[in-house]
Amino acid sequence: MESTLPRKKLEGYEFYQEVLGSPKLIVAPMVDQSELAFRRLTRRYGAQMFADTTHKYYREQYFDIASGEEGAASLPSSSDTDRPLIVQFCANDPDALLKSAKLVEAHCDAVDINLGCPQDIAKRGHYGSFLQDEWDLIYTMINTLHKNLSVPVTAKFRVFPDIEKTVEYAKMLERAGAQIITCHGRTREQRGQNTGFASFAHIAAVKRAVSIPVFANGNVLFAADVQRCLDETGADGVMSAEGVLYNPSLFRGLSSSISHPTPDSISPSSSTSASASTTRQKHHELDTPSTVATLALEYLSIVRSQRTRTSPSAVKGHLFKILRPALGREKYHDLREQIGKVRVDVPRRLKACKEGKEDQEEGEEAWTWVDAYVRIVEEVQGRLQEDARIATEDGNIALEELVRRDEKTGLDMLPWWIAQPYFRPLPVPVAGKKSKGCVPAKRSPPKEADLDGQGNDDAGVKRPKDLTDILGRYEDPLNIALLDVSALMQQLQVEHEKVANVCDSFPFSLVIPANRVSAKFRESLAEDAALKSSVLVLDSAGFDTF
């Protein structure tokens, strides 16, 4: 007779091994980029566990339980699975967090608390890394979930500049009841243009200090970084965020080749922040190369095949990131612009799938925006195939010979048809000013040289010193000026490095000047992550103000 007693909630390494299956390759939670379709894609290429992210206002949008596919052990008409899965929440209220976590505990393996988000929206919302000085509150949130959920609680956090304080912080998380902790080896100030390298020394110190599993996050851009990270930190697993965003096949073929170092083999002296990605000899990515167009098409196929609705802003964001090596080349700018202009008109829940009813005609109409993306990506694929044929001289030149070193970052650049990471170069220090570590995110860049004293360059062409002249020309009845990203880039002529780097991935549909954004629209941006991911709000110097 089957027992009716509740299953024992496993903790620590028992949970890591028996429930999660001892994963080494984990995809990080990312706002509006961790949806089911992308989880399925990365699992197909070796990701062993996925940490999803959700928000108290948008549970249905980002974790659509009603569809029956989120967190499913098996998915219809495929060999895909959505387990193991950890669902992450941002919060600052223990009771509200528990109430929200109760809604998903039956559909995941654990609930994670976001203690690492460094963005301004987290500062305004009072969550993420902006709670890291409120240890009593953090303890209470973790302990509340630990005592009241049927699944374990985990936590992802950023380090303090001081290693000893970081270690004490991690030990507090363990005492509170966290059964796994993910240590992102960057500080709260290391974000955006100031991201830089993560400190493996901090992660290694945390690993040595606690008795629960530790995942390491940061510096994983290429496949070779996975083993390097494990060797230098001793972590139980490696979590990647942006590395996987730009190359969903990052973990491909690694599950059978990676090894876990013994404690004696970990060298603290080697755990430096700059060692992770600067020297490369051989790229695993070139052994069985994943082309950017193939990955993009496979992702779109998954989006189209499932009942769970995928946010259009997530789809556009993924396409721009995956295809970035190609779209950044002049030959593909027309296709980049086409992707940005695809019109999306899809209902909240696809009517063709609602309540299991089929309506082929209506369903097909609902997918027109996805089909438009497919046609564009297929054109990208055709051009890339011709590029590859010419560059390799019909296969007579090895791919390794086409690898080039990026002068700004010191990282290798693979041939542009192959999936690869993107790393933002650090800002150039301003001469005569003492460095304070990370440069403030909203620091204004120096004005352009006024070569003739009247704002003209040496060709006599009037060039704007900032965005005021450009953005000031665009108005509409809603008191919001809208500017197409491609038009912005063309008019700026990539004069502001900040704008170039922010817009280069082109996940944005619209750019809005900050002085024309109404208070009501700002509230909408704060409450709607999907809207925020499609809109860039810039001040007159070209800096994101939101």
Side-chain angles (χ1 to χ4, degrees), residues 18-36:
E18 297 183 27
V19 176
L20 301 183
S22 302
K24 303 287 186 191
L25 310 171
I26 302 105
V27 180
M30 295 165 284
V31 174
D32 200 33
Q33 301 280 263
S34 297
E35 82 290 351
L36 178 63

Side-chain angles (χ1 to χ4, degrees), residues 316 338-345 368-370 372-373:
K316 180 179 290 188
Q338 289 181 37
I339 292 175
K341 291 184 176 180
V342 168
R343 180 180 177 184
V344 177
D345 184 16
T368 54
W369 61 283
V370 178
Y373 283 135

Side-chain angles (χ1 to χ4, degrees), residues 275-402:
S275 65
S277 306
T278 54
T279 303
R280 312 212 174 269
Q281 296 180 349
K282 179 176 174 58
H283 287 284
H284 173 81
E285 288 83 358
L286 300 181
D287 294 338
T288 52
S290 297
T291 64
V292 295
T294 299
L295 288 171
L297 288 172
E298 185 173 3
Y299 169 70
L300 291 172
S301 175
I302 296 172
V303 170
R304 207 183 193 288
S305 70
Q306 63 187 23
R307 183 172 186 264
T308 302
R309 178 188 181 274
T310 303
S311 165
S313 64
V315 174
K316 180 179 290 188
H318 283 306
L319 292 180
F320 278 126
K321 289 179 174 64
I322 295 172
L323 297 172
R324 186 182 186 280
L327 298 183
R329 301 177 72 86
E330 185 175 359
K331 177 180 179 180
Y332 296 84
H333 285 184
D334 62 320
L335 299 180
R336 181 179 67 189
E337 186 173 346
Q338 289 181 37
I339 292 175
K341 291 184 176 180
V342 168
R343 180 180 177 184
V344 177
D345 184 16
V346 61
R348 181 176 180 82
R349 178 79 54 81
L350 296 178
K351 293 181 180 179
C353 298
K354 187 176 182 181
E355 298 178 356
K357 296 179 181 180
E358 296 293 337
D359 187 329
Q360 185 65 24
E361 182 177 355
E362 189 174 45
E364 288 301 317
E365 290 177 356
W367 291 117
T368 54
W369 61 283
V370 178
D371 294 338
Y373 283 135
V374 169
R375 288 191 292 271
I376 298 169
V377 177
E378 286 176 343
E379 175 62 25
V380 173
Q381 185 177 49
R383 296 187 192 181
L384 287 176
Q385 288 172 345
E386 179 64 11
D387 285 353
R389 185 190 67 78
I390 295 172
T392 63
E393 296 184 2
D394 292 317
N396 292 314
I397 297 178
L399 293 176
E400 289 80 359
E401 297 181 33
L402 300 176

